[in-house]
Structure formats: C-alpha cells, structure tokens
Amino acid sequence: MTEKDTQSDRSGDESRMPPAALLYAADEILHMYDSVPFIICLLDSERRIISGNRQFREVTGWPESPVFLSDKACGILGCIHSLDDVRGCGFGAHCASCPLRRALLDTFETAARHSDIEYRTSLLLNGTRRDVVLLGSTARIETPGKQMVLLSLVDITERKLAEEALFERERLLNEIFEHGGVGVAHWDLDGRLLMLNQKACNNLGGGDPQQYLGSTMIEMFGNEAGMSYLERIKKTVESPEALEFEDRVELPIGIRWFHSVHTRVRDAEGRVTGVHIYANDITDLKQTEESLQQSKHMYDTLVSKITVGIYILRSTPEGSYTLDYVSPRMSELVNCSIESLLANPQNFFVNFHPDDRAGFVALNQEGISLLRPFDWKGRILVDGTVRWLHIESSPETQMDGDVLWHGVVADITESKQMEDALRVSENLLRDAQTVAGLGTYSLDIATGRWNSSDILDDIFGFDKKLDRSLSEWESILHPEDREMMTNYLSDEVLGKLMPFNREYRIIREVDGRTVWVHGMGRLEINEQDQPVRLIGTIQDITERKLVEGNLKKRDAEIEQFIYTVSHDLRSPLVTVKTFLGYLENDVNDGDRERISQDLQFIHGASDKMKELLDELLELSRIDRQENTPVRVSFRELLSEVCGALAGDIDQHRIDMTLPDNDLELFGDRARLCQIWQNLIENAIKYRGDDRIPSIELGFRHDTGGVTFYVKDNGIGIDPSYHTKIFGVFEKLNQKSAGVGLGLSMIQRIVEKYDGRIWVESVGQGQGSCFSFTLPRAISHDSTREQMPA
Amino acid sequence: MNGQALTILLVEDNPDHAVLVMRSLGDFKVANRILHVEDGQAALDYLSGNGPYADRMTYPLPNLILLDLRLPKIDGLEVLREIKANAGLKPIPVVVLTTSDAEQDLTKAYEFGANSFLTKPIDFLEFTSLMRDLGFYWLAWNKQPW
C-alpha cells in the first residue's frame, strides 16, 4: 500500500495521528471504495483526514497536499483563498459560508449523526476546472471512546443538469398545456374526463375546469353524441396512429366546430390507460370556410349558368402563353375539354373553322404583341355544324411582366343568324321602299329633330345626313301648301293626336322640281298622352298626280264630248221629226211647195246626221286604232301630204313653203299625216280671197324641244276664239263645210304624242299660225338637225 | 195685249231650227216680227245696237229673246250672262230654247238669270204646241214693265 506508506512518511506529527489499527481498518474500508465513482474520506475526531479513496486523493492531492478543516477555513477540497491558486473549492474568501464545512462541523459537534448537503463549487479535475454540483453526506461513526466522521462526495452535476432540463421541459409542457391554445383533455377508457386544461375548459363553455372533472361523455354531450365519442375512444385505443376528427358540437354556448386529434395514452408497461383529445375550436375558421365555400359555389354556379365562357390566358414577355383558367362553358363552346385546354392553349382554336383559324391566330398574336384588347368574331365547327363565336379579351399587365388576358367567349350563332335574317329583310325593305319610292322618317316631337331614310332624301332632294330640323321640311314645302301643311301638323296631327295623312307638294331645292308626296305617319304617345315621336313614310306620288290630273282632264273632255254629241246629234233629229210633222200637214193641205221644202229640210238634216256620225267614228278611231310606229323623215311625210292635197293646192294656187331641214319622226304614219293634212285643208278652206294664199310648213327648236308650225295668210281667228276652236263640233262659221271635228281630231293626235297644240293669230284677216309639239314622235337620236344635202 | 208691235229675237245657229221656230210661231201669229241671228256675237251686237243693228227702227229691242245655248263664237250662256248683267237689257225675258237637257246648262242658265228653260221636243205635236204656248204665255199673258 504505497499510499499508507507515503502517508506514514509524511505524518510528522505523531500525536495527531489516529491509532494505526484504526487507520488500517479505515484504509482497508476505503480501498474497497477506490473503484466507486465518488469521493470518500474519513476524518478523526481531531478533524484530520485519516483516509481517502482514490478519487479523494486525485481531487485533493492528499496526502501530499495539506488538507485541513478548522473553524476558520476548510482545506479539505483544496479550497482556494487566493485567485493565484487555481485549485480550490470555489468558495474562496467565503469559506466560512461553505456548506460542506458547516455540515462537517455540525456532524462533529451536534447530536445529529448524519447530514446531506448539496452544493455547487468549482473543482480542478484532470487539469480542467469545472463547475460541479456535489452531494455531500456525512456520517458520524461512534465507536467506544472514539468518533470518526465519514464524508462522501458524489458528483451529481449530470443528474442535476438532467433534473433541471426535465424541470424546464415540464414547465414548458405545462405552459403549452395551459396556454398553448389547444384544448387538452384526458379521458379514461370509459369516457370519463380525468383532466383538462383551461383551453379545453373554455372550449366546453368556460368556468372552473374542476366542474367538468369526473363527468362522462354522455353526461356532457348527450346520449347520441356521447355514444359516438365513446366509439371514437375505442377506435383510438386500437389505432397506433393518432386519429383526427372534425365535429359540429351543440353546446350550451351554441354550436361550435372542433378539430380534434385523439391519441391513446399508455403507461410504463405499454398498457393503454386512456385517451388524450387535443381539440381546437375552429368555428370561426369553419364559418369563414363555409362562406368561402358558399361564395365559391355561387361563383361556380354563376360561371356554369352564364352563357358566356370565361378564360384567363397568361402571356409572357418571351411570347409564350398558357391558359390559367378555363370555365366549363368555355370548354363547351370551343368544344375542347378543360384539361386539354390547360395542357395546351393551342387547343383553344383547334376546332375553329379552317377559313377563320388563321385570322384568329394572327389577330391573337397581334393583340399579344401590341397589348391591344382582342375582339374577334368567327366560326367554329361543332359536330359538323357551324357556330359563331364572339371572343373578347383585355390585357392586364402583372408585376412580373406577364400579361393576363381576361377573356369572354360567347356563342353568337343565333344573333348572327338573326342579324343575317335582319340584313336580308332590311335589304328587302330597302328594295321594296326603293321600288315603291317610299321614304321613311322619324320625328322627335320634343326637339323637332328628325331623320330621313336614303330614299326620302332622294325624294326631297336632300344631301344625305342623319339629323335634320323641322324647318328643313317647312322650307321645301310648296308655297301654296306651306301654311296648310304646317297648320295641319301642329293643329290636326299634334293637336288632336291624329295620324298624319296628307298629299302635298314640295319644291326640291336641288333642281327646283315640284314633287307631289303622300305623307303618312303614326304618333307614338307616352303615358301622359303626350306625343313623343312621329314615325312615317313619304311617297313620291307625282306620277300618280299627273295621271290623276290627266284623268280629270280626260273626264271633263269626255263629259264635254258627250254633252256636245248629244246636243249636236239631237239637233238634226229635231229637224227631221218636226218637218215630218209639217210634211204630214202639208200633204193633207196639198201644198206642194211646202212639201218639197219640208223634204229638203229632212234630207239636209239626215245628211248632217250621217256626216256627224261618220266624223265621230273617225275621232273615236284615233284612240281605238293605232298602226305600228315607224321611222319617217319629216320632209318625206310632208311631201306625201302635199301629194294627197295636190288637187286643192293647184286649184287655189297655194304658195307652199316647205322646210329646208329635215327631222326623223317616229310614230303612226297615217295619224301623223292627218295632222298636217287637216291643218293644210283648214288653211286652204279659210284662205283670204283678196290675196295669193300662202302656207308655210316647218319646225323650230325651242326650249321645250321641237315645235312644228303651219302658217297661213288666211282670214285669221279672233283671239277670243283661240281655245274654243279646238272643241268638238265647234265651228266659227255655221255655213262653212264640215261638222267642226277637224281641230278636235288634231288635238287628240297631238295629245297622244304627249304634245300640245295652239294657234296664234292677231285676228280677222291677219292669218293664222298653228303650232304644236310631238315629244313622243321625236326620237332622241333624231333631235340632231339634219342639214339639207 | 196692247197694240204695240211685238218682236222676238231668235238666237239660233241651226238654220233648220230657226225655220222651224219661226214657222211655228208664225202659224199662231203671236208676234209681229221674229228676228233671227245665228251666233252669240251677233245676238249681243243686235241687243247693243252695234254695227249693222244700229237702226232701232229696223232692229228694235225685242220683247222676248229665244236663246239657243250652243252657239258659235260666243255661246248662249255667255250671251245670257251679258244680257242679265246689262241693266237696260235685263228686263227682257230670256227663254232658253236648247236641244240639250244637260243638268249643267239648266243650273247655269237659271244662275245667270234665265226666265225660262225649254228643251226642243223631238215630237212634232209637242214642238208645235210648245211654240204656241210659249208665244201666248210670254207675249199675251205675261205682264211686262213696258
């Protein structure tokens, strides 16, 4: 035992040494403890170290280093009293307060034979100073006449650290348990609540957690819910994994939603003893989620209900693009599934009509590169039928440079079809209006503004424009109709709310032409019985009015004709009948002279009647019979007439003047001849006796066209008779030959060629000049005068 | 009936009818003189004493005018209108004696102041009795202001 030897060698003070036997015994005992991991030493009653195990020797350097224990200081563990000495117990100058020293002294001096202390200090172990926690135990060993104290020191630093860590963890757990925001409840296998934290208590309705302890699930949640929760506990017990649930729970505080995690609780032996339920009140979340769900549902419903498809297309600055969103309706419209559209945006237009696809792609690219809103109408083929789509989208540039195109796709097939049908019917209407010369207008009563259709502009001779004022209408009214029409509009139509229905004249500003129109219109009346709009039509009825006018004239002529004829045919009848009566008397009287006179009158009247009837027949032929029109030279016509009248002309030595220039006429040759023939006959018949009769034939170009004339130097006609002479059976001289139908006939023929005839004569003995026009006999290409050869 | 010579002015363009009227009236000897003109202008000239009719001894103002309506130059209605528009001529009864029975003539004639309107009958007996009655009525029974 080297330690014992060494110790013996170094113990210079024999009197303080313990008895050898004791020492030996102590040594023996302590040696036994060399291998234990704590420090043990033995002090004698003199408070001297008499023995120590290996750990003690290592820590203190005993027996080489002095170890002492006194009232003032304790050197047992090499306590340091100066900072220069690195060894020491760590109490330094405060050695007096060293708990180990106190404990040792107490053990020596008091009745207590044993004490345990735990204290912190610093130790140099294996050359390294470290903070340690030591557990010191002292035990006073009483032997007869002797007492010793056994000191053992155990380094409990590790244990202490572990304890502290455990404590901290427990504290944290507790913190979490109480304040973690999760309700924690511990249930036993029968569904009885053993423990719950504040949060769980709050979940259940608040108050003191204690009140819930010991309650069963059925007591707390009712039979039905309680049973189902019990069922869960059983499941949890069997499940190695935690189970999650979401519940709608009816509590006295109202309906709450909880998310809960169930875990089984096992004891040290692994037996399941209960279940932990961690519950989170997710009512708010649930409500938010529910309203979110609701609005999402509404949005989905909306998107699925609306007839247009919706998409979001993302284009990048690099030029690539993808579809971010496609609504179901959009997928339907472009006849391509949502998945394939999202996978490949090219599928967007895969079904487009081949004729329209390229245009769409080009427009799309242009839109993307110029960031211009996109608007396209085109066709798509869906199961072989053509549908029309209208696609619109507008760009929205994102922070990252991408552009989102919010697009809308609409099926416009029906509106397109209607549009087409409308266009067709509009065209029809326009054509019909054009053909009928029917213009339309719409007048806003309040403003007096109106608009006119193209055809109405044509009728009124207006420039094309949309907006007009009422004064524009008033200004073109014929002066004779203006007052009547403005009064009619204001008093009758607007005043009495009557439909507009009037025929009136306008004078076109553009060419000064007078046009007859028939205006019709319907008033639109509001709830207050106030006229709002006048919508109507204007028809050009000039032609009709002309015909009407001609018809009236014709009617008058016919009436006059019948009157004249009945009078003039009746006259000879009166003569015949009356003289027949006289004849009878005269025969009875045997008055031969009067008989012959009577018969003469009767013959004369009968001849007159025949003549009248023949002439009337001739006149009626003008209207009834017409030969095929032919082209004939004017001079040729005249020479034919003169040939027929050659006898009379020669007999009366008429000086005939024929025109130098020629003209081509187109018409019924015989009738045209009749004009000149009758006029020349008249000129011969009414020649003057006191001069050489002359007749001049010719034509001249007037503003109205070609005017023909037959001029004589005969007896002339008093200006007051210039109209009367053209009447049926009119004769200025009762004794002259004929029945008075010649000029009537000429007039009829002239009128058939849309011409007119008139006479110029200063009066008796001044000669006459009959002039007339024949517009329809003058062909357009013949108006150019042909010069004589 | 007074002793004054009674004169009738016949305005008639149809010579046959003129003969008929004169013969019928002559047969009943109701008038001393029947003067005949053939057209409206001549009638107005006669009544105004113009031109050839200036001598009132030969061409006195008539007691009755028999007026045909269809006349050359100036027609009967116009002649009537002018007679009745002339204060001196207005009192002379004008009997329209016409072939036609047209409504328009009848209306116009009375409008212009005709005193009577007669249509020449086609029947001989009717014609002659009309002429007789006409003559007696206007020249014998009818009272005149002069």
Short mmCIF file of all heavy atoms in Angstrom, two decimals, chain A residues 106-133:
data_model
loop_
_atom_site.label_atom_id
_atom_site.label_comp_id
_atom_site.label_asym_id
_atom_site.label_seq_id
_atom_site.Cartn_x
_atom_site.Cartn_y
_atom_site.Cartn_z
N ASP A 106 -21.00 20.46 11.91
CA ASP A 106 -22.24 20.08 12.58
C ASP A 106 -22.20 18.60 12.98
O ASP A 106 -22.64 18.24 14.08
CB ASP A 106 -23.45 20.31 11.64
CG ASP A 106 -23.80 21.76 11.58
OD1 ASP A 106 -23.23 22.58 12.35
OD2 ASP A 106 -24.66 22.17 10.72
N THR A 107 -21.67 17.83 12.05
CA THR A 107 -21.66 16.39 12.31
C THR A 107 -20.79 16.09 13.52
O THR A 107 -21.06 15.20 14.33
CB THR A 107 -21.14 15.62 11.09
OG1 THR A 107 -21.90 16.03 9.97
CG2 THR A 107 -21.28 14.11 11.26
N PHE A 108 -19.68 16.82 13.67
CA PHE A 108 -18.79 16.62 14.80
C PHE A 108 -19.41 17.13 16.07
O PHE A 108 -19.29 16.54 17.12
CB PHE A 108 -17.45 17.39 14.55
CG PHE A 108 -16.49 16.59 13.71
CD1 PHE A 108 -16.18 16.97 12.41
CD2 PHE A 108 -15.87 15.42 14.24
CE1 PHE A 108 -15.29 16.24 11.67
CE2 PHE A 108 -14.97 14.71 13.46
CZ PHE A 108 -14.69 15.09 12.16
N GLU A 109 -20.09 18.27 15.93
CA GLU A 109 -20.40 18.98 17.17
C GLU A 109 -21.82 18.83 17.64
O GLU A 109 -22.16 19.13 18.77
CB GLU A 109 -20.09 20.49 16.97
CG GLU A 109 -18.61 20.75 16.84
CD GLU A 109 -18.31 22.08 16.24
OE1 GLU A 109 -19.25 22.90 16.05
OE2 GLU A 109 -17.13 22.34 15.95
N THR A 110 -22.71 18.44 16.79
CA THR A 110 -24.11 18.37 17.25
C THR A 110 -24.52 16.92 17.42
O THR A 110 -23.80 16.01 17.06
CB THR A 110 -25.05 19.04 16.25
OG1 THR A 110 -24.98 18.34 15.03
CG2 THR A 110 -24.72 20.50 16.08
N ALA A 111 -25.75 16.82 17.90
CA ALA A 111 -26.27 15.49 18.18
C ALA A 111 -26.57 14.73 16.91
O ALA A 111 -26.60 13.50 16.90
CB ALA A 111 -27.53 15.61 19.03
N ALA A 112 -26.81 15.51 15.82
CA ALA A 112 -27.14 14.84 14.57
C ALA A 112 -25.96 14.05 14.08
O ALA A 112 -24.82 14.52 14.10
CB ALA A 112 -27.53 15.88 13.52
N ARG A 113 -26.12 12.85 13.76
CA ARG A 113 -25.02 11.99 13.36
C ARG A 113 -24.86 11.99 11.85
O ARG A 113 -23.94 11.37 11.33
CB ARG A 113 -25.30 10.56 13.84
CG ARG A 113 -25.32 10.45 15.38
CD ARG A 113 -25.71 9.07 15.80
NE ARG A 113 -24.79 8.09 15.29
CZ ARG A 113 -24.90 6.75 15.46
NH1 ARG A 113 -25.92 6.29 16.17
NH2 ARG A 113 -24.02 5.89 14.98
N HIS A 114 -25.77 12.65 11.17
CA HIS A 114 -25.77 12.47 9.74
C HIS A 114 -26.36 13.70 9.05
O HIS A 114 -27.30 14.31 9.55
CB HIS A 114 -26.62 11.23 9.42
CG HIS A 114 -26.87 11.03 7.96
ND1 HIS A 114 -25.96 10.40 7.15
CD2 HIS A 114 -27.89 11.39 7.17
CE1 HIS A 114 -26.43 10.38 5.93
NE2 HIS A 114 -27.61 10.99 5.91
N SER A 115 -25.76 14.13 7.99
CA SER A 115 -26.42 15.19 7.20
C SER A 115 -26.02 15.07 5.72
O SER A 115 -24.94 14.55 5.40
CB SER A 115 -26.03 16.57 7.73
OG SER A 115 -24.69 16.87 7.42
N ASP A 116 -26.95 15.54 4.94
CA ASP A 116 -26.68 15.56 3.49
C ASP A 116 -26.74 17.03 3.03
O ASP A 116 -27.64 17.77 3.39
CB ASP A 116 -27.79 14.82 2.73
CG ASP A 116 -27.62 13.31 2.89
OD1 ASP A 116 -26.50 12.87 3.14
OD2 ASP A 116 -28.65 12.59 2.75
N ILE A 117 -25.75 17.36 2.26
CA ILE A 117 -25.84 18.70 1.67
C ILE A 117 -25.53 18.61 0.18
O ILE A 117 -24.81 17.71 -0.29
CB ILE A 117 -24.86 19.69 2.32
CG1 ILE A 117 -23.43 19.05 2.38
CG2 ILE A 117 -25.30 20.12 3.73
CD1 ILE A 117 -22.39 20.04 2.11
N GLU A 118 -26.11 19.59 -0.45
CA GLU A 118 -25.91 19.63 -1.91
C GLU A 118 -25.41 21.02 -2.18
O GLU A 118 -25.98 22.02 -1.74
CB GLU A 118 -27.27 19.42 -2.58
CG GLU A 118 -27.18 18.97 -4.01
CD GLU A 118 -28.59 18.82 -4.59
OE1 GLU A 118 -29.28 17.83 -4.25
OE2 GLU A 118 -28.99 19.71 -5.36
N TYR A 119 -24.32 21.10 -2.89
CA TYR A 119 -23.82 22.45 -3.13
C TYR A 119 -23.02 22.52 -4.40
O TYR A 119 -22.60 21.53 -4.96
CB TYR A 119 -22.98 22.90 -1.92
CG TYR A 119 -21.67 22.18 -1.76
CD1 TYR A 119 -20.44 22.78 -2.09
CD2 TYR A 119 -21.65 20.85 -1.26
CE1 TYR A 119 -19.26 22.11 -1.95
CE2 TYR A 119 -20.44 20.18 -1.13
CZ TYR A 119 -19.25 20.81 -1.48
OH TYR A 119 -18.06 20.17 -1.38
N ARG A 120 -22.85 23.76 -4.80
CA ARG A 120 -22.15 23.99 -6.06
C ARG A 120 -20.76 24.53 -5.73
O ARG A 120 -20.60 25.33 -4.85
CB ARG A 120 -22.88 25.04 -6.90
CG ARG A 120 -24.17 24.55 -7.44
CD ARG A 120 -24.94 25.72 -8.00
NE ARG A 120 -26.22 25.22 -8.47
CZ ARG A 120 -26.40 24.69 -9.66
NH1 ARG A 120 -25.39 24.66 -10.54
NH2 ARG A 120 -27.56 24.20 -10.01
N THR A 121 -19.85 24.10 -6.55
CA THR A 121 -18.50 24.61 -6.36
C THR A 121 -17.73 24.37 -7.64
O THR A 121 -18.29 23.90 -8.62
CB THR A 121 -17.80 23.90 -5.17
OG1 THR A 121 -16.53 24.52 -4.96
CG2 THR A 121 -17.60 22.42 -5.44
N SER A 122 -16.47 24.82 -7.62
CA SER A 122 -15.63 24.57 -8.80
C SER A 122 -14.52 23.64 -8.40
O SER A 122 -13.93 23.77 -7.33
CB SER A 122 -15.00 25.89 -9.28
OG SER A 122 -16.02 26.78 -9.66
N LEU A 123 -14.24 22.71 -9.28
CA LEU A 123 -13.18 21.74 -8.98
C LEU A 123 -12.26 21.65 -10.17
O LEU A 123 -12.65 21.81 -11.30
CB LEU A 123 -13.79 20.36 -8.71
CG LEU A 123 -14.53 20.16 -7.40
CD1 LEU A 123 -15.04 18.74 -7.33
CD2 LEU A 123 -13.57 20.42 -6.25
N LEU A 124 -10.96 21.39 -9.78
CA LEU A 124 -9.99 21.09 -10.83
C LEU A 124 -9.95 19.60 -10.96
O LEU A 124 -9.53 18.90 -10.05
CB LEU A 124 -8.60 21.63 -10.45
CG LEU A 124 -8.24 23.01 -10.95
CD1 LEU A 124 -6.87 23.41 -10.42
CD2 LEU A 124 -8.25 23.06 -12.46
N LEU A 125 -10.43 19.11 -12.04
CA LEU A 125 -10.41 17.67 -12.21
C LEU A 125 -9.71 17.40 -13.52
O LEU A 125 -10.09 17.97 -14.56
CB LEU A 125 -11.82 17.10 -12.26
CG LEU A 125 -12.60 17.15 -10.93
CD1 LEU A 125 -14.06 16.81 -11.17
CD2 LEU A 125 -11.99 16.17 -9.94
N ASN A 126 -8.68 16.51 -13.40
CA ASN A 126 -7.88 16.17 -14.59
C ASN A 126 -7.39 17.42 -15.30
O ASN A 126 -7.36 17.52 -16.50
CB ASN A 126 -8.69 15.32 -15.58
CG ASN A 126 -9.21 14.06 -14.91
OD1 ASN A 126 -8.52 13.44 -14.09
ND2 ASN A 126 -10.43 13.72 -15.19
N GLY A 127 -6.98 18.40 -14.47
CA GLY A 127 -6.37 19.60 -15.04
C GLY A 127 -7.39 20.58 -15.57
O GLY A 127 -7.05 21.66 -16.05
N THR A 128 -8.64 20.26 -15.51
CA THR A 128 -9.66 21.17 -16.04
C THR A 128 -10.57 21.61 -14.92
O THR A 128 -11.03 20.79 -14.12
CB THR A 128 -10.51 20.46 -17.10
OG1 THR A 128 -9.66 19.85 -18.02
CG2 THR A 128 -11.44 21.44 -17.78
N ARG A 129 -10.74 22.90 -14.88
CA ARG A 129 -11.62 23.43 -13.83
C ARG A 129 -13.06 23.37 -14.36
O ARG A 129 -13.37 23.79 -15.47
CB ARG A 129 -11.21 24.89 -13.55
CG ARG A 129 -11.98 25.51 -12.42
CD ARG A 129 -11.65 27.02 -12.37
NE ARG A 129 -12.39 27.64 -11.31
CZ ARG A 129 -11.96 27.71 -10.02
NH1 ARG A 129 -10.79 27.23 -9.69
NH2 ARG A 129 -12.71 28.31 -9.10
N ARG A 130 -13.87 22.83 -13.52
CA ARG A 130 -15.27 22.83 -13.97
C ARG A 130 -16.19 23.04 -12.79
O ARG A 130 -15.87 22.72 -11.65
CB ARG A 130 -15.61 21.58 -14.76
CG ARG A 130 -15.58 20.27 -14.00
CD ARG A 130 -15.78 19.13 -15.04
NE ARG A 130 -15.76 17.86 -14.34
CZ ARG A 130 -16.85 17.15 -14.04
NH1 ARG A 130 -18.03 17.62 -14.41
NH2 ARG A 130 -16.77 16.00 -13.40
N ASP A 131 -17.37 23.55 -13.16
CA ASP A 131 -18.39 23.77 -12.15
C ASP A 131 -19.10 22.47 -11.92
O ASP A 131 -19.45 21.77 -12.87
CB ASP A 131 -19.38 24.82 -12.63
CG ASP A 131 -18.72 26.17 -12.76
OD1 ASP A 131 -17.80 26.46 -11.97
OD2 ASP A 131 -19.12 26.96 -13.67
N VAL A 132 -19.23 22.18 -10.68
CA VAL A 132 -19.86 20.91 -10.36
C VAL A 132 -20.91 21.12 -9.29
O VAL A 132 -20.93 22.13 -8.60
CB VAL A 132 -18.83 19.87 -9.84
CG1 VAL A 132 -17.90 19.43 -10.95
CG2 VAL A 132 -18.06 20.44 -8.64
N VAL A 133 -21.78 20.17 -9.22
CA VAL A 133 -22.73 20.11 -8.10
C VAL A 133 -22.37 18.86 -7.31
O VAL A 133 -22.18 17.79 -7.89
CB VAL A 133 -24.16 20.02 -8.63
CG1 VAL A 133 -25.14 19.98 -7.45
CG2 VAL A 133 -24.48 21.19 -9.54
#
